[in-house]
Amino acid sequence: MYDRMQELNQQDFSRVHESAMDLLKNTGIVFNDDEAIEIFKHNNVKVEGKTVFLTEKDVRAALEKAPATFTVAGRNPDKSVAIGGDDFVFVPGYGAPYIIDAQGEQREAVMEDYDTFCKLIHTSKYIDMNGWMMVEPSDMPPETVHMDMMLSNFLLCDKPCMGSPVSRQGAKDGIEMAAIVFGGKEKIMDQPVSVSLINSLSPLQFSDEMVGSLIELARNGQACVVASLIMAGASGPVTLGGVAALQNAEILAGITLAQMVREGAPVIYGSTSSAMDMKTGALSIGAPALAKNTNVTAQMARFYNLPSRSGGGLTDALYPDGQAGIESALALSTAARSGINFILHSCGILGSYIAMSFEKFLMDEELCGMVRQMLKPIAFDDEGIDVEMIKKTGIGGQYLTNPKTFKLCRTEFFLPDLMTRMNYDAWSAGGKKRIHEVADDKLSQRLAKYEKPDIDPAVEKELTEYVNRRKNA
């Protein structure tokens, strides 16, 4: 298969791998968690204070135990998803403190916004999983808001969801709530029902919150994305080759810990590393550097026979405009074409992760549909070509009224909900609406049709009581 994106050769893989092994063995990596240090010591790993020195033997042993593919169960079993190999999922934006509205005004996100995103995800044709912390609700106590978000995930959407990795206790709460939904901890121990994002603290560190969450999640059989977000030129080398080596060391260290906690714990090799804008000093996620790193990340994950994660519809733009469309299309299509399995931030992100936008969510969602259609193989079998039909139509004939055209007219090609394909006169007569205006109109229509998915009333009651009890503890 031919693609102009860089294809790593065996020497490239070896250099990235060996550089990471050199860093882990000789420089080491800090894990800011006492239990993690004890786990490494128990596995005869050299430790000095909180700095852990991993050998290639340690890493290889972990990689042999990590699954290449796994399934994440949804509350609705028909919506469970496979991750790894040729399978991939689109997952919404993550971690934004603000909302940017249709007028371009930025405001703090609230719990109602979070619930709205859950409803949009539940009704989406193209988004495969519910996220977690699509926005950070400012109107809820920060110590317990993780449980409110998990409650919304389970009650407002029946797709598989992401988990709560804010702290060790946050991870425990997410596990307890998932156990209520799925019928007990024993039911989820060998069947992941969540995927949680564990980020390194570059360069070469993991925070206590992330490590504690990783240990609890792995111990209970829940999937973790072990990810690195390096800002090239600031928190990592200015060269993307150096970034690849540094992020590889961080990711492999986290995966090694997960496998020491529980053999076979499902993990995903992840990165959204990109460049520092040399004019402003800010992270640029709309830069080509992000797409180039995404391509490398996907290949390194395959090198280790692991599922991969990257960003999706990412942009530095602060409004769902042309810049947002260009940058998001570049990032999302690169992730999908490169073979990324878990495409986080597939829809909604604006301003380098600072905000989510409902209009941008719908626009990116349509982009996800287009990308999925783009990747669908063309059939060249007898039915796909149908030479007899072509011969029968003959020279100068037409296919518009052919029975096969009638049969396939609604399914053969992608039919957009937002993008215009009308001529200028029709567009002008309709008010000359730009795509973000069309998205704004569609938003209210979509939410008006939302219906809360069925859930056992006893399960809902138990979930709600758990959250209230923990909040009042």
Side-chain angles (χ1 to χ4, degrees), residues 425-436:
D425 289 340
W427 176 68
S428 182
K432 298 183 178 179
K433 288 190 175 182
R434 282 73 162 174
I435 188 170
H436 63 273

Side-chain angles (χ1 to χ4, degrees), residues 72-74 129-132 150 153-154 159-163 193-195:
V72 185
M129 286 184 62
N130 201 350
W132 191 78
M150 288 302 298
N153 276 13
F154 286 130
K159 294 180 179 180
C161 67
M162 295 190 70
V193 299
S194 67
V195 179

Side-chain angles (χ1 to χ4, degrees), residues 429-446:
K432 298 183 178 179
K433 288 190 175 182
R434 282 73 162 174
I435 188 170
H436 63 273
E437 295 173 310
V438 177
D440 190 35
D441 292 340
K442 294 283 187 181
L443 177 64
S444 58
Q445 297 170 23
R446 175 93 157 260

Side-chain angles (χ1 to χ4, degrees), residues 263-323:
E263 290 188 12
V267 289
I268 300 173
Y269 182 106
S271 169
T272 50
S273 298
S274 191
M276 179 182 75
D277 184 275
M278 294 300 172
K279 294 180 180 179
T280 66
L283 171 68
S284 173
I285 59 174
L290 180 130
K292 293 170 75 173
N293 183 71
T294 293
N295 179 49
V296 169
T297 298
Q299 293 182 68
M300 289 305 302
R302 286 194 292 274
F303 176 72
Y304 295 120
N305 198 28
L306 293 170
S308 57
R309 172 258 169 165
S310 76
L314 297 178
T315 181
D316 301 317
L318 292 160
Y319 194 77
D321 55 12
Q323 177 187 341

